Amino acid sequence: MHFLDQAKIFVRSGGGGPGAVSFRREKFVEFGGPDGGDGGKGGDIVFEAVPGLNTLIDFRYTQHFRAPRGKGGSGSNRTGAGGADLVIKVPVGTQLLADDEDRTLLADLTREGERVSFLKGGMGGRGNASYKTSTNRAPRQHQTGEEGEEMWLWLRLKLLADVGLVGLPNAGKSTFLNSVTNAAAKVGAYPFTTLRPQLGVVRHKGREFVLADIPGLIEGAAEGAGIGDRFLGHVERTRLLLHLIPADAEDPVEAWRIVRGEIEEYGAGLSEKAEVIALSKADLLEAKDRSVLIRKLEKASGAAVFAISAPLGEGMDPLLDRIVETLGQAREPEHEDAEAERNWSPL
Ligand SMILES: Nc1nc2c(ncn2[C@@H]2O[C@H](COP(=O)(O)OP(=O)(O)OP(=O)(O)O)[C@@H](O)[C@H]2O)c(=O)[nH]1
Ligand SMILES: [Mg+2]
C-alpha cells in the first residue's frame, strides 16, 4: 500500500500547431497574396486541488498525461484552434516535486480550488501571411509550431487536517472518526482495517476542525514496519495528535509507549505537536479498573487521559472540549518540512 500517497507521473504540454502556407484564390485575381494563418497554441498542463480526494491512488493507474496539440492554421488567415488545457485533479495537500536527488518542491496545492499552470503549451507556428513584406509578396516561409514541454515529476500527498488520529491498529480510530464526523470509515475487529487516510469535519460547540484517520502504527513503523510510516506523513501538517489507547490492549501503558516512540522516531516535528490522549473502548472495563488504568497512563505520559467510548458516545464532550481548547493554543502548522524528506523514499 506504499504507493497510496506518492506517485511518479509523466506530463507533457501540447505542441503548437503549424502555421499554414496558403495564397488567396479569387476569381479575376491571378496572384493572390499569402493568407496562411498561424497555428494554434498547445494545451497547458494544469494541476487543480479538488475536495473529496484523500489519496493519490488514481495515479497508480494513469501515469502519463499529455495535453493536446494546437491545430494547424489554414487559408484565409485562419488561426488554428488551440489545444485544450489538460487539468489534472489532485487532493488538497498535494505537493509537486522534481524527479531530482533533492526532490525540489515545485508547487504545493494547499487550498481547495487552487490551480497551478505547470507546463505551458507550445506557441503556434506563424503562417506565411505573417512573412509578407514589401519586397516579398509571396513568402512560402512558415513555422512548424513550438514543441510542448515534458517532464517526470513526483506527486506527494500530505493531507491538511487540524487533528491527526494515531494509535495501534484496532485502537478504535475509525470508530471515533465515524462517531464525531459524518465520515463512513470502515471499522473492523482486526488490525489494519484502514488502508488509506480518511478525513472528516468535526463540529463541536460552534467550532470546527478537520480530523484525519490514518492506518494503525506498530513498533518499527517509523522505519517502515507495517504500513503506518507512509501515513505518518499525513499527520505532519496537523496541529494536534489525538492518541487513542485501546482499553483492551494487553498492556495499555506499553501501547502508549510504542506509538509515542514511533512518533519520536519519525521526526519532522511530530513529537513537538500537542498530544491529547484518550483511553478508547473504556466501556470494556469496570469502573474501578478503569480509574486504576487512567492513573497509570497519566503517570506514564504526564498528561491528562480521557476515558471514552465512541460507539456509546461516552466521555466525548470533555475530550472534544480539550481538543478545541488545545487547537486554540497550538500554532499554525508549518509547511516547511525539509526534515521530513528522508522519510519519503522513491517507490
Ligand atoms: N467495545 C468497544 N469497541 C470498540 C470501541 N471503539 C471501537 N471498537 C471496536 O474495535 C474494533 C476496531 O475498531 P476500528 O475503529 O476499526 O479501529 P482502528 O483503530 O481504526 O483500526 P485500524 O484501522 O485497523 O488501525 C472494531 O471491532 C470496533 O467495533 C469502543 O469504544 N468500545
Ligand atoms: Mg481504522
Side-chain angles (χ1 to χ4, degrees):
M1 286 294 156
H2 287 182
F3 45 78
L4 286 177
D5 39 16
Q6 56 179 9
K8 189 179 178 182
I9 64 168
F10 175 82
V11 289
R12 188 178 206 290
S13 58
V21 178
S22 167
F23 296 93
R24 247 188 314 276
R25 280 168 204 231
E26 288 166 42
K27 273 182 198 171
F28 317 119
V29 182
E30 212 172 331
F31 297 108
D35 70 349
D38 299 340
K41 182 184 155 296
D44 296 347
I45 291 286
V46 177
F47 286 92
E48 183 181 355
V50 297
L53 290 179
N54 292 333
T55 77
L56 295 172
I57 193 166
D58 291 344
F59 294 98
R60 188 183 159 209
Y61 305 106
T62 311
Q63 284 151 346
H64 290 77
F65 297 86
R66 293 184 175 87
R69 301 190 71 90
K71 294 267 189 287
S74 51
S76 310
N77 289 310
R78 277 194 296 265
T79 301
D85 294 343
L86 181 62
V87 180
I88 303 173
K89 293 186 164 61
V90 295
V92 178
T94 300
Q95 299 180 326
L96 312 182
L97 309 156
D99 184 29
D100 57 16
E101 215 169 288
D102 300 336
R103 291 287 153 84
T104 312
L105 184 63
L106 305 171
D108 194 0
L109 289 101
T110 57
R111 279 176 293 112
E112 199 173 301
E114 191 172 348
R115 273 179 165 236
V116 174
S117 185
F118 192 71
L119 295 182
K120 283 266 169 246
M123 294 305 296
R126 287 167 62 188
N128 70 333
S130 72
Y131 286 94
K132 184 182 170 190
T133 61
S134 56
T135 53
N136 186 356
R137 292 173 180 277
R140 302 197 64 84
Q141 285 132 291
H142 69 111
Q143 291 175 321
T144 52
E146 199 182 3
E147 279 309 306
E149 301 173 299
E150 60 180 48
M151 74 183 287
W152 284 92
L153 77 151
W154 286 90
L155 304 182
R156 177 188 295 168
L157 177 60
K158 288 182 179 171
L159 290 175
L160 295 170
D162 303 295
V163 176
L165 267 169
V166 293
L168 291 178
N170 223 25
K173 300 179 293 299
S174 303
T175 304
F176 183 86
L177 176 82
N178 290 348
S179 78
V180 292
T181 72
N182 56 14
K186 195 171 161 198
V187 166
Y190 47 87
F192 300 117
T193 305
T194 302
L195 298 175
R196 332 172 179 176
Q198 297 268 351
L199 296 184
V201 179
V202 182
R203 294 189 177 83
H204 179 68
K205 297 186 181 166
R207 304 287 290 274
E208 245 180 42
F209 62 88
V210 177
L211 180 65
D213 174 27
I214 64 168
L217 301 171
I218 60 174
E219 188 148 28
E223 263 101 53
I227 58 173
D229 67 317
R230 290 280 150 173
F231 299 99
L232 275 173
H234 287 307
V235 294
E236 265 175 41
R237 301 202 205 190
T238 62
R239 289 185 282 161
L240 189 157
L241 300 179
L242 174 56
H243 186 162
L244 293 192
I245 302 164
D248 60 352
E250 223 171 278
D251 181 349
V253 173
E254 185 57 17
W256 174 78
R257 265 208 197 93
I258 289 172
V259 171
R260 192 65 216 164
E262 295 311 318
I263 290 168
E264 259 143 48
E265 189 69 27
Y266 184 81
L270 242 54
S271 58
E272 284 110 70
K273 285 186 195 299
E275 182 188 26
V276 172
I277 306 174
L279 180 70
S280 58
K281 312 193 193 182
D283 56 282
L284 296 177
L285 297 180
E286 299 291 335
K288 191 166 99 323
D289 298 339
R290 192 186 305 164
S291 26
V292 170
L293 182 53
I294 294 274
R295 267 201 302 280
K296 268 203 229 167
L297 282 168
E298 290 187 331
K299 194 159 165 250
S301 66
V305 174
F306 295 81
I308 59 162
S309 172
L312 301 180
E314 280 170 15
M316 301 293 275
D317 250 29
L319 173 61
L320 293 174
D321 285 348
R322 169 60 67 92
I323 291 172
V324 164
E325 181 197 334
T326 313
L327 280 177
Q329 297 158 358
R331 61 195 168 90
E332 286 298 302
E334 287 189 27
H335 283 193
E336 291 305 318
D337 42 34
E339 207 205 319
E341 298 303 313
R342 62 185 178 79
N343 290 307
W344 298 82
S345 50
L347 299 177

